[in-house]
Amino acid sequence: MLSVDLIIFGASGDLSARKLFPALFQLERLNLLENDVRIAAVARTDQTLDAFLPTLSSKMSSYMGNDAPSDAEWENFTRRFSYVSVNFSEPDKYAGLREWLDDDRISLFYFATPPSLFAPICEHLSQTNCLAGDCRIVVEKPIGESLASSVQVNETLAKYFDEKSIYRIDHYLGKETVQNLLVLRFANSFINSQWDNTCIDHVQITVGEMVGIEGRWSYYDKVGQLRDMVQNHLMQLMCLVAMEPPNSLEAESIRDEKVKIVRALRRIDEQSVEERVVRGQYTNGWIEGAAVPGYLDEEGCAHETSDTETYIAIKAHIDNWRWSGVPFYLRTGKRLPEKVTEIVIQYKSLPHNIFGEDANIPNKLVIRLQPNEGIELSMVSKRQSLKERMALQAHPLNLDFREGSDMDRIPDAYERLFLDAINGDQSLFVGRDEIEESWRWVDQLISACQKRKVEARPYYAGSWGPAKAEVLIEKDFRSWHV
Ligand code: BG6
């Protein structure tokens, strides 16, 4: 097997210090990086490795806290490093990189840069003969901001790399519990046989965040929560819940099944949008006892008004045999009271309950991605009592993923994704079709909202979003799990 070199473009950026280098370091600590993996930190500043490393080290320490490398670990980790200065938009500045690359090894280019730089970097890499060897490329979202722009990004990448060499990251797929969802569904016969519209009443997917827009106003105001979170993360979670069993764990099998779900999503059009979509925008409020500003008072806000949504709830339908009649309620928002990502599978009520109607408590399977990764199945049992003849209660069966793990922490998504990209496994990366199909669905949802003027309703920071989001689900005689 060929050895792998990692070439990180945007090495001095925030993502690199917060996620990429810490993930690589954790792999090093766990002895999961082959000894001969080399790392090129590529950035614009003309400086030496000795000047680059201390800044990286202090940024990493502030993000990693107690987990930060010791001096000995840092020295061991950074023996792999080179610093290569490249002005991304000038082809004659790629000579240093060409010199560093070794065509007898696999070059894994990681573009931790704004997407507007993908095209010029690819073009210059190609012009300067940096793509002569066996190459892979890893790119981050956003892959476009609409179907048209995502096709453009994908076309650019396809000019220089074939699909098998393109690794599109959706970091949610690297989360441990997301992988566990596959295991839960396809390695447990009793779950698998109860996974359709004969047993399931509805599904809820909630991704609640306590953070605001974290200093990214100018980016965020152009995209909003629908493009930033739903088009990618929530869609991926929905696909994994809803897809048919793939015939193997090969990337193509999984991707084929996921894309069928996106294609089966019922369009949200002008006629149905008001019934099925609620948009919101946070105003000032309180998070964990501290006052926080509203969206329009956030640092960097350039407008007096904005209709960008920081919250969205959607009632989606998958028009296929398995899911006909089972709504999928999706919601995600910033400045909600809790950071929580969970998938709730609500089973149907019993057709007739011999214990009385009050005791008709449908089973519920809660798959928690964060915090406290695990699975909880609420079962109905008899309360132990002599006074009450037959009092029933919902009782959770809990599966805490941290128990039985050989790790004392939950690995970050980027650790898994780096390892897979190094090993050439694309199954947790997103295929071109999936991205484009999901943009197609999102585009028509946006257009329906615009035509019907579905405006972003205010909600207080620290609340669970606009009251209308409660109505969205309660009018179906259901309620949000949290
Ligand atoms: C990113 C979004 O993709 O995911 C951010 O751009 C969001 O706006 C983040 O905060 C959430 O990720 P996680 O892993 O913290 O749930």
Side-chain angles (χ1 to χ4, degrees):
M1 217 167 81
L2 293 182
S3 313
V4 176
D5 287 335
L6 302 175
I7 303 107
I8 318 259
F9 278 80
S12 40
D14 190 48
L15 178 70
S16 297
R18 220 158 32 91
K19 292 287 181 185
L20 308 187
F21 289 121
L24 287 169
F25 167 71
Q26 294 292 5
L27 295 180
E28 173 87 70
R29 187 180 257 169
L30 293 167
N31 277 326
L32 292 171
L33 271 190
E34 292 292 333
N35 254 334
D36 57 357
V37 170
R38 301 188 300 160
I39 300 175
V42 181
R44 288 170 196 265
T45 314
D46 195 3
Q47 62 181 344
T48 60
L49 180 64
D50 286 345
F52 170 75
L53 286 179
T55 320
L56 176 63
S57 160
S58 80
K59 282 194 203 164
M60 276 173 62
S61 302
S62 73
Y63 292 125
M64 296 178 74
N66 290 342
D67 242 5
S70 67
D71 290 348
E73 287 176 321
W74 182 246
E75 208 178 309
N76 180 43
F77 178 47
T78 54
R79 78 188 190 286
R80 304 174 180 276
F81 275 60
S82 303
Y83 179 84
V84 185
S85 146
V86 173
N87 187 338
F88 301 156
S89 40
E90 291 180 35
D92 54 341
K93 297 288 162 40
Y94 283 65
L97 180 60
R98 176 54 276 184
E99 207 174 294
W100 185 88
L101 294 171
D102 179 346
D103 294 343
D104 292 331
R105 301 162 63 92
I106 296 172
S107 299
L108 183 71
F109 295 99
Y110 198 119
F111 286 8
T113 65
S116 57
L117 290 174
F118 293 173
I121 297 178
C122 284
E123 191 186 330
H124 302 328
L125 283 173
S126 165
Q127 278 168 357
T128 52
N129 213 23
C130 289
L131 302 181
D134 189 347
C135 298
R136 293 179 197 151
I137 179 175
V138 184
V139 284
E140 282 277 336
K141 73 174 252 285
I143 310 283
E145 287 168 5
S146 62
L147 174 60
S149 55
S150 71
V151 168
Q152 217 174 12
V153 175
N154 282 328
E155 285 295 319
T156 304
L157 299 179
K159 262 206 257 172
Y160 304 97
F161 300 90
D162 62 33
E163 185 65 17
K164 286 208 156 34
S165 312
I166 303 175
Y167 292 71
R168 296 180 193 80
I169 285 204
D170 182 311
H171 77 277
Y172 268 53
L173 293 183
K175 291 182 190 272
E176 272 289 307
T177 312
V178 174
Q179 298 158 61
N180 232 320
L181 180 57
L182 290 176
V183 179
L184 177 78
R185 285 198 56 195
F186 304 125
N188 290 288
S189 56
F190 84 99
I191 296 262
N192 182 37
S193 59
Q194 314 285 314
W195 205 261
D196 61 19
N197 56 4
T198 60
C199 303
I200 293 176
D201 175 72
H202 74 276
V203 176
Q204 297 180 18
I205 302 180
T206 295
V207 181
E209 302 185 86
M210 284 162 89
V211 293
I213 46 161
E214 300 182 293
R216 300 182 298 159
W217 210 90
S218 56
Y219 156 76
Y220 190 87
D221 198 55
K222 285 195 232 102
V223 294
Q225 198 74 349
L226 175 62
R227 292 184 177 97
D228 189 46
M229 295 293 287
V230 178
Q231 182 274 334
N232 34 67
H233 308 323
L234 275 90
M235 290 281 246
Q236 286 294 327
L237 296 181
M238 179 166 60
C239 287
L240 292 174
V241 170
M243 71 182 186
E244 293 301 310
N247 67 350
S248 75
L249 281 181
E250 293 296 312
E252 246 168 72
S253 301
I254 296 182
R255 289 174 177 190
D256 284 353
E257 295 307 334
K258 284 194 291 173
V259 80
K260 283 187 210 160
I261 295 298
V262 189
R263 290 196 181 117
L265 271 176
R266 190 179 304 165
R267 287 167 64 88
I268 296 188
D269 55 19
E270 266 181 88
Q271 279 65 49
S272 57
V273 69
E274 282 158 307
E275 286 294 293
R276 295 173 55 196
V277 175
V278 175
R279 301 172 67 241
Q281 187 184 89
Y282 62 85
T283 58
N284 59 340
W286 297 83
I287 296 279
E288 290 188 315
V292 295
Y295 178 69
L296 291 172
D297 296 321
E298 288 281 11
E299 184 199 330
C301 168
H303 305 295
E304 270 174 26
T305 61
S306 162
D307 185 48
T308 299
E309 80 284 340
T310 58
Y311 175 99
I312 188 158
I314 301 171
K315 180 179 175 187
H317 298 276
I318 299 169
D319 287 329
N320 67 11
W321 194 285
R322 185 186 287 265
W323 296 112
S324 177
V326 180
F328 279 64
Y329 297 94
L330 316 177
R331 67 174 169 162
T332 175
K334 306 257 185 243
R335 291 290 192 219
L336 301 190
E338 282 174 41
K339 176 158 178 73
V340 54
T341 303
E342 65 175 28
I343 299 166
V344 177
I345 311 291
Q346 174 75 61
Y347 285 90
K348 289 192 165 163
S349 308
L350 294 165
H352 170 68
N353 197 314
I354 57 169
F355 303 101
E357 261 324 290
D358 285 353
N360 201 344
I361 312 168
N363 298 121
K364 194 184 276 185
L365 179 70
V366 181
I367 302 155
R368 267 191 324 265
L369 278 77
Q370 50 197 12
N372 309 331
E373 292 77 354
I375 291 175
E376 192 179 296
L377 175 62
S378 95
M379 303 280 292
V380 182
S381 62
K382 177 187 174 303
R383 205 174 15 243
Q384 282 204 3
S385 162
L386 282 177
K387 280 195 217 137
E388 296 167 301
R389 178 66 190 85
M390 195 58 94
L392 304 200
Q393 61 183 359
H395 213 91
L397 287 183
N398 255 321
L399 184 60
D400 184 334
F401 291 148
R402 287 162 302 184
E403 280 168 20
S405 152
D406 58 359
M407 298 186 73
D408 51 8
R409 61 180 185 93
I410 305 271
D412 187 78
Y414 282 89
E415 295 169 41
R416 162 55 52 208
L417 296 174
F418 257 123
L419 208 52
D420 285 1
I422 291 172
N423 293 329
D425 181 344
Q426 282 187 309
S427 53
L428 295 177
F429 293 84
V430 189
R432 174 173 181 167
D433 286 4
E434 294 174 72
I435 301 234
E436 292 178 4
E437 289 299 333
S438 72
W439 273 122
R440 194 186 305 283
W441 189 78
V442 165
D443 276 3
Q444 46 82 28
L445 194 164
I446 292 172
S447 144
C449 285
Q450 285 165 348
K451 287 187 187 141
R452 279 286 167 174
K453 300 198 171 39
V454 178
E455 55 191 33
R457 292 161 184 270
Y459 64 95
Y460 289 112
S463 72
W464 278 105
K468 185 106 194 293
E470 304 296 325
V471 178
L472 175 92
I473 190 163
E474 282 171 8
K475 68 180 184 317
D476 297 339
F477 304 102
R478 299 175 174 122
S479 58
W480 295 113
H481 178 239
V482 275

